[in-house]
Amino acid sequence: MGKVFGYPEFDANGEKILTTYDNEYKDMMMDIRVYRMKAGETRSFKRDGEETAVLLLFGNITYAWEDSKETVSRKDVFTEGPWCVHVCTGTEVSVTAEADSEILVQCTKNDTEFAAKLYKPEDAPWGYSCKGKFGNVAKRRVNTIFDHDIAPWSNMVLGEVLNDRGNWSGYLPHRHPQPETYYFMFDRPEGFGASFVGNQVFKSTDGSFSAIPGGELHPQAVAPGFQMYTCWMIRHLEGNPWLQTDRCEDERYTWLHDAEF
């Protein structure tokens, strides 16, 4: 098994590498990177044999792909919803920063051709999960940008979670056979949380990530006083895509569904 947690830094060119097909996190079966862009800078992404999703984390950018162009903005991940362009193999996406910005780029192997799509905030509305359950300390907001139901041609899932301050997410502890990557951001630089991967626990900090192998339990928690953002990315397995109904909770904790607090 490869490594399951990382604290990557941006290099001199503004690139932060999370997972690749051959680094210590290759079990994720995805290439995931974050880019810090200065105003006026342009980056282009085009991969043969791979699909690509380009998610705006914050800033003001212009997407250009095929015959389309769209200028979008996001104050931050805590107050506004996502913008994301998703394209198939061989399709180029260019991103021009109109102001200082950050983007996350998620790729995986996929030869299927499909129509490019710009996902807008209204396409991925935030909804509360676990509201009123478990003493109300596991409620969090979740959105799904695309999954197997939305984009069955994709080999990936992309969504976001906002933990309420001091709360848990990914709770009850659950597992699924598909690998999943979490990228964490906090509303203050000193913010922190706890990321559980099986029987291991790591301090999640701003810009860190968790690489969760298939089959491992993976609840998360954030310290009181801080809001935690998680970009969650799942890689479907061939013949076994991740589905919303696939959540497999650890039976040791399912009694909590009926417990009174």
Side-chain angles (χ1 to χ4, degrees):
M1 182 186 296
K3 292 180 67 175
V4 298
F5 206 88
Y7 300 92
E9 301 285 345
F10 289 100
D11 66 17
N13 295 317
E15 180 182 54
K16 178 193 288 189
I17 299 173
L18 279 60
T19 69
T20 72
Y21 303 123
D22 54 10
N23 73 355
E24 294 171 303
Y25 306 95
K26 62 184 179 182
D27 290 345
M28 296 300 98
M29 301 165 62
M30 294 180 284
D31 188 298
I32 304 170
R33 305 171 191 234
V34 179
Y35 294 91
R36 180 173 286 168
M37 300 180 63
K38 296 185 180 298
E41 181 181 354
T42 298
R43 287 185 180 270
S44 293
F45 307 94
K46 179 182 178 182
R47 295 196 175 209
D48 292 326
E50 298 177 50
E51 61 179 293
T52 302
V54 183
L55 172 69
L56 175 61
L57 296 174
F58 68 81
N60 188 321
I61 63 173
T62 297
Y63 289 113
W65 72 100
E66 296 177 333
D67 297 323
S68 300
K69 183 178 286 190
E70 189 87 26
T71 299
V72 304
S73 64
R74 189 179 197 184
K75 180 182 178 182
D76 55 56
V77 295
F78 305 101
T79 57
E80 296 182 353
W83 293 92
C84 178
V85 169
H86 185 203
V87 301
C88 71
T89 172
T91 300
E92 183 174 11
V93 181
S94 73
V95 176
T96 299
E98 311 296 341
D100 289 355
S101 305
E102 281 188 17
I103 57 174
L104 181 146
V105 180
Q106 177 194 17
C107 305
T108 197
K109 302 291 178 63
N110 190 348
D111 290 319
T112 302
E113 294 186 1
F114 56 85
K117 182 173 176 63
L118 171 65
Y119 291 94
K120 304 176 181 180
E122 55 264 34
D123 296 322
W126 295 103
Y128 262 106
S129 178
C130 288
K131 197 169 186 177
K133 299 191 71 171
F134 316 132
N136 219 31
V137 295
K139 72 180 175 72
R140 67 276 190 185
R141 284 172 287 166
V142 183
N143 72 44
T144 303
I145 300 168
F146 60 85
D147 61 4
H148 188 68
D149 291 333
I150 296 168
W153 44 82
S154 175
N155 286 339
M156 308 188 298
V157 179
L158 176 61
E160 301 178 311
V161 178
L162 287 178
N163 280 53
D164 282 7
R165 303 179 195 283
N167 276 15
W168 288 75
S169 63
Y171 203 83
L172 298 177
H174 68 285
R175 57 168 66 88
H176 42 75
Q178 300 83 4
E180 182 168 17
T181 303
Y182 286 162
Y183 180 66
F184 303 106
M185 298 175 71
F186 291 81
D187 61 345
R188 293 180 61 93
E190 73 273 23
F192 68 97
S195 177
F196 295 78
V197 183
N199 291 321
Q200 301 180 79
V201 61
F202 302 88
K203 182 179 181 180
S204 44
T205 57
D206 193 52
S208 64
F209 75 99
S210 185
I212 304 153
E216 294 285 5
L217 296 170
H218 49 282
Q220 314 290 318
V222 62
F226 304 103
Q227 195 168 25
M228 182 172 77
Y229 162 90
T230 305
C231 181
W232 55 283
M233 296 160 279
I234 297 175
R235 175 54 157 87
H236 297 307
L237 300 177
E238 187 172 354
N240 187 14
W242 179 86
L243 304 173
Q244 296 278 359
T245 54
D246 279 350
R247 185 185 184 89
C248 184
E249 295 175 339
D250 189 317
E251 60 186 16
R252 294 175 298 172
Y253 303 103
T254 53
W255 63 270
L256 284 159
H257 283 299
D258 300 316
E260 294 184 7
F261 293 85

